[in-house]
Each structure stands twice: as C-alpha cells, then as structure tokens.
Amino acid sequence: MDHTTFVGVGTHPDDIFPQISPHNRFRRDNTSLEETEPAHAATDLSLGILMILIMTIGIPSNLLSSLYFFTRPKPTFHDTLYLIATVSDFCVLVSAFAPITVLIGAPGERLAMVFSHPLICQSWALFFCTATRFSLFIVVVLSTLRCLAIHAPLRPVGKTTVIVGCVVYLGGIIVLDLIFLLLGEIQSFFIEAYGSCVYSITGKAGEVFIGYMSAEILIAISIITINLIISIVPLLGKQKKVRSKARRNLRNVAVTITIFTAVCVFCNIPLGTMVIFEMSGTNQNFPRYTRMYLQLVSYIVMTVLNAALNPCVYLTRMPGVRKWATTY
C-alpha cells in the first residue's frame, strides 16, 4: 500500500517507477509510465527564475543579518537566537541552487541534473530537510518565548538551556536521519514532482521515521500558528499611549516577532496542508500535473521564500540592523 508523505513515497521507488534512461536514471515518481504527463516548460522556467530572484535577495540579506548579530559587542539572548535563525535560513537558500538546475536546465522535462549523482542526491536531501525542520523549530522557540513574555512576564527563562536545547535538537535531527539512512530504512531519490531528491521508504522502520517527520512538521506549524494568534490578540487591542522608551522598545520587539511568526505561518501553511494530503492519501486523487506543482511549490519554493523574507523583517523592523547594513 502506497503511503506518500511530504518527504517521499511509501514504497521502494523501483517498485513504482522503473529506471528510464542512462541520462536520467534517478528520475522516478509515484505514477506509472502511462500516467506520466510532462510538466509545463514555461511554468518550470518561471519558477526557476523566481527562485533565482528570491536567492538574490535572500542570500545577501541573510549574510548581512548574520554578520550583524555575530559581531555585536554585547549580544543579547535574542540576538543569539536570531543568529541561529539566519544561519539556518542561509543554508536553505544555498541549497535551493540544486532544484533551480532542474527547473531551468531542462524546463518541462524535470531531468535530475546535479541530482543524478547518488552522493549529491543523498547529501542534499539530508542537508535541506535538516535546515528546513530546524528553521521551523527556531520559529517555535522565538514565538513561544514571546507568548511567555505576554502571559508570564515574571517567569524566568533558562537562556542557556534554550540555546543548548536548540543545539541538541539540531544534532538529534542529523543523527536520527543518518541512522535511518545508514540502516537502509530510507533512501533519497530524485522525484520529479518535487524537482529534487527526497526521502523515500525502503524498509519497514522507514514508515515509522516518515510518520515521525510528518508529525514533527505538523506539530511545529500548529504551535507557531497558535503562538501567532496568542501574540497578535494583545497587539490588536486598544493601546494606551506609551511614553516610556523601554515600553516602546518592548512593543516594537513584540511586533517584530509577530511579523516574523506570521511570515512563517504564511509560507508553511502550504507545506502543512501537503503533509496532511499525503498522509491521508488525498494527493493521489489529484491530477498528475497538479501534483507536479503542488509538491514543488509547497516543499521547495515556499520554504525558500520564507528563508528570504526573514532577513527582510530584520532589516525593516530592527533599526540597529538597518543602520549597520547601510554603513557596512
């Protein structure tokens, strides 16, 4: 029984889509040859150009933001979290180069291109999947801290514990993925609908792993959405005139984190929806052409867009970042 998730298909790819040609021997998908419909060349090319534009904005912005948070003489706790977020987003943006080669290298055909090498395929899937999940986790942390500041302002926060927790979470993602990859329970294969390499189940334990990853993504998006609602309600209420500079700064920080969270929700709702479709098997009822773009846009394009928009929030909302960037 096929069980598709956002990270791949639920049966061994060799049982689903046979080897096609020496040039594109890693081109596989979860439909039969008779059902295959080519992607639209103009749409692929447009998406590829769009991703190049996103990278052109996102990579320099993330580099500037990272340098700002890294070089601050006395970095605050939130500066450290923002630094972690910008580095993670930078990794997402850099990894977008590979899918772009698929979209622009042979528009409409979705040839494997750089993914045709097994080592690149495996490494890219691990790198991109890790960066994506960790980026979501950092937003969970920042938005949760904001909610605690609203409803429990006197509650002490173990800052060192939070930072260590982030490092442990990142290490856990990498170690867990590597264990299942090395055991052969999952493997990375190039799948046209994603325009990239994704994890696919190749063993019984792989189903547990894929289920865990799907739950991890859904839980993260759900927490971020709830935190956004909790954070935005006080900001929408009637505000008294604030004369204290400290209080104005606190409100500005609150607005910044709320916008940061809202951007994440906007960009990741398509991914969460796609995960639900794939877990329920609903996506199998979609036309092949529709799946070619639903999965690509929700999994790749919107994730890359999120990584590029985050530093724009820093530059527009944080005077210190903006002033530093203009004089750098």
Side-chain angles (χ1 to χ4, degrees), residues 6-317:
F6 85 100
V7 285
V9 293
T11 57
H12 195 288
D14 287 337
D15 299 328
I16 299 169
F17 204 72
Q19 192 163 306
I20 297 179
S21 69
H23 173 69
N24 194 25
R25 60 186 181 278
F26 294 98
R27 177 177 176 176
R28 309 167 189 270
D29 211 332
N30 53 356
T31 58
S32 64
L33 285 169
E34 291 75 16
E35 294 174 322
T36 300
E37 299 173 15
H40 195 276
T43 306
D44 276 6
L45 190 60
S46 298
L47 286 173
I49 293 173
L50 174 62
M51 289 180 66
I52 290 175
L53 292 175
I54 292 172
M55 289 177 65
T56 302
I57 296 171
I59 289 178
S61 299
N62 269 293
L63 280 174
L64 283 173
S65 300
S66 298
L67 285 171
Y68 169 77
F69 293 122
F70 182 74
T71 57
R72 291 204 70 180
K74 296 180 180 180
T76 65
F77 170 55
H78 281 85
D79 287 339
T80 303
L81 290 177
Y82 283 130
L83 174 60
I84 295 172
T86 54
V87 172
S88 181
D89 288 337
F90 177 78
C91 291
V92 171
L93 285 160
V94 169
S95 63
F97 171 76
I100 288 175
T101 65
V102 175
L103 294 171
I104 292 183
E109 297 183 46
R110 298 276 178 95
L111 303 180
M113 307 303 285
V114 297
F115 293 118
S116 60
H117 193 287
L119 181 60
I120 293 177
C121 185
Q122 297 280 359
S123 301
W124 186 91
L126 175 63
F127 185 81
F128 184 78
C129 214
T130 298
T132 301
R133 289 148 65 195
F134 187 64
S135 292
L136 274 176
F137 177 75
I138 292 299
V139 181
V140 168
V141 173
L142 283 167
S143 60
T144 301
L145 289 172
R146 173 58 198 154
C147 290
L148 286 174
I150 294 173
H151 296 283
L154 300 179
R155 184 184 180 89
V157 176
K159 298 177 181 179
T160 303
T161 303
V162 173
I163 300 299
V164 171
C166 292
V167 175
V168 170
Y169 187 85
L170 174 60
I173 292 176
I174 297 172
V175 170
L176 187 64
D177 287 25
L178 283 174
I179 288 174
F180 278 86
L181 283 167
L182 293 174
L183 290 176
E185 297 295 333
I186 59 170
Q187 288 186 35
S188 300
F189 296 99
F190 176 76
I191 295 182
E192 291 178 42
Y194 294 91
S196 61
C197 288
V198 294
Y199 289 157
S200 298
I201 299 171
T202 51
K204 290 184 178 180
E207 295 184 12
V208 177
F209 174 83
I210 295 299
Y212 156 75
M213 283 191 62
S214 299
E216 179 186 13
I217 294 294
L218 288 177
I219 290 172
I221 294 174
S222 299
I223 293 174
I224 294 168
T225 304
I226 293 170
N227 287 343
L228 174 62
I229 296 171
I230 294 173
S231 299
I232 206 171
V233 169
L235 295 175
L236 294 177
K238 187 177 180 180
Q239 299 292 325
K240 296 180 180 179
K241 188 175 181 180
V242 180
R243 296 182 179 179
S244 168
K245 183 177 179 181
R247 286 187 175 274
R248 285 201 302 271
N249 289 339
L250 285 175
R251 178 174 172 76
N252 288 335
V253 170
V255 173
T256 300
I257 295 179
T258 301
I259 294 173
F260 179 75
T261 307
V263 168
C264 180
V265 170
F266 170 76
C267 292
N268 285 281
I269 284 295
L271 175 59
T273 304
M274 198 67 217
V275 171
I276 294 173
F277 284 160
E278 293 182 333
M279 290 179 70
S280 64
T282 306
N283 66 313
Q284 297 297 326
N285 299 323
F286 297 155
R288 159 91 170 129
Y289 181 84
T290 303
R291 293 209 310 275
M292 290 288 280
Y293 290 101
L294 275 179
Q295 292 168 306
L296 173 66
V297 171
S298 63
Y299 180 52
I300 302 292
V301 179
M302 294 303 290
T303 300
V304 174
L305 177 62
N306 189 185
L309 288 177
N310 287 339
C312 295
V313 174
Y314 310 144
L315 289 167
T316 55
R317 290 293 311 170

